[in-house]
Amino acid sequence: MIAPPKQQHCLHPGTLIGTQFHYPRAFENFNNILDDLTVRMTLPAIILAGLAICALLFIAAIAAFFLGLRRMLRRTRPDQSVLRGLIIVFGLGVLASPFIAMEIAEQIDVLAHVPKPLEFSEIEYRLEESRKTGFFVYRLTDESADWARKQGSQLGEKLLGAKGTWRETPVDDSSDEKATYQWHPYDRYPDLMSVDRPKYHPPTIIEYLEKYGFLITIEDGRDREADQSIRSSGSFYSYGDGGSVTIVDPGRGKVYFAYAR
């Protein structure tokens, strides 16, 4: 009797040691994982990753720079005190340059609050709160104040800005919804007001500044001066970026700048 031939067992391409491994399904699962990761990698995450990489590169560049300065110092002789001092001063200057640049940019921004061709002699008052709310009072030079007064009702056309940028006071605080919101942001929500105000009340610089809820305590008398400027005739005002308003008061020889972001 002839014995039947033995069956040859071989692994199928889709079998791994007795366990079924389906290639199409595996690739499909892998693609699903990639799609899920793509969805999770939202724009904020990508931005944060980019910022982190930039920060690491910046730190690496600073480290390399100071290592280079250290090598330069080591190569100098003890009697080269002037050269060694220059190297140290140069290193400290580079280290402080970002802070110096920020300070210069801030000063340029402060100077830009006074419209050309007016010039001021001093910042009489300055108050800022968390870069969200601020109030400045600039005192014009005698020459600028005299020039502004001589322009009379034509001053708005002589100040820097597009035609129609500057408007005569008193400020428009009720002609439309936008004007009302600028100067009376909480009239429709009296419960949110920091102080009780009558239903119909004149505009105030304090109310303008608290439109986003960031309150600041202006020195007594400063706000009343600005209020008189925006309520009476003879001054000019203009809205700017960042929720700002600039008021030029030729009579007092001052410029008021307020912003609420």
Side-chain angles (χ1 to χ4, degrees):
M1 183 175 180
I2 300 173
K6 293 183 178 180
Q7 293 185 355
Q8 301 259 340
H9 293 284
C10 61
L11 291 176
H12 189 272
T15 306
L16 182 61
I17 313 180
T19 302
Q20 294 296 321
F21 185 80
H22 301 283
Y23 289 110
R25 184 177 298 173
F27 282 116
E28 182 179 352
N29 291 337
F30 181 69
N31 288 332
N32 290 337
I33 293 173
L34 288 179
D35 291 340
D36 185 59
L37 287 175
T38 302
V39 172
R40 291 176 182 273
M41 286 292 290
T42 56
L43 182 60
I46 295 174
I47 293 174
L48 287 175
L51 291 174
I53 292 172
C54 291
L56 290 174
L57 291 175
F58 177 76
I59 293 171
I62 292 294
F65 174 76
F66 281 102
L67 285 174
L69 287 182
R70 184 182 179 187
R71 292 192 188 98
M72 292 174 63
L73 281 172
R74 286 183 171 181
R75 290 176 182 176
T76 58
R77 298 190 305 272
D79 60 334
Q80 294 178 305
S81 58
V82 175
L83 179 59
R84 293 169 68 91
L86 289 175
I87 293 174
I88 293 172
V89 170
F90 177 69
L92 293 176
V94 171
L95 187 64
S97 59
F99 304 99
I100 296 173
M102 289 174 61
E103 184 64 26
I104 292 174
E106 183 180 356
Q107 291 303 316
I108 292 174
D109 184 56
V110 169
L111 296 176
H113 297 161
V114 177
K116 296 296 183 183
L118 298 177
E119 296 181 354
F120 67 96
S121 58
E122 64 172 322
I123 302 176
E124 195 174 88
Y125 183 74
R126 177 179 181 178
L127 179 65
E128 293 184 274
E129 184 66 36
S130 304
R131 307 290 293 176
K132 296 293 184 182
T133 310
F135 181 66
F136 295 72
V137 181
Y138 299 84
R139 178 170 290 282
L140 297 175
T141 62
D142 293 338
E143 293 79 8
S144 278
D146 289 339
W147 177 85
R149 282 190 284 267
K150 289 176 181 177
Q151 306 312 307
S153 60
Q154 303 301 312
L155 177 60
E157 300 176 8
K158 305 293 181 65
L159 297 176
L160 180 66
K163 186 177 181 180
T165 299
W166 291 93
R167 313 173 192 183
E168 290 189 65
T169 55
V171 298
D172 174 16
D173 66 323
S174 59
S175 65
D176 55 32
E177 187 174 345
K178 182 179 179 180
T180 302
Y181 176 73
Q182 288 278 16
W183 294 98
H184 307 291
Y186 297 120
D187 273 14
R188 290 182 295 176
Y189 310 101
D191 293 341
L192 299 178
M193 290 187 184
S194 59
V195 295
D196 292 331
R197 297 187 178 98
K199 186 174 182 180
Y200 300 104
H201 55 277
T204 64
I205 202 69
I206 289 293
E207 193 174 2
Y208 181 90
L209 289 172
E210 70 176 16
K211 68 175 67 175
Y212 298 119
F214 296 97
L215 307 180
I216 58 176
T217 305
I218 298 176
E219 183 180 295
D220 188 40
R222 300 286 184 182
D223 57 328
R224 288 198 295 272
E225 257 190 15
D227 292 343
Q228 291 171 7
S229 295
I230 62 180
R231 294 175 189 173
S232 57
S233 59
S235 298
F236 290 81
Y237 69 103
S238 174
Y239 297 113
D241 297 332
S244 66
V245 63
T246 304
I247 304 136
V248 177
D249 187 338
R252 291 183 175 82
K254 295 182 180 182
V255 172
Y256 303 95
F257 177 81
Y259 68 86
R261 297 169 181 162

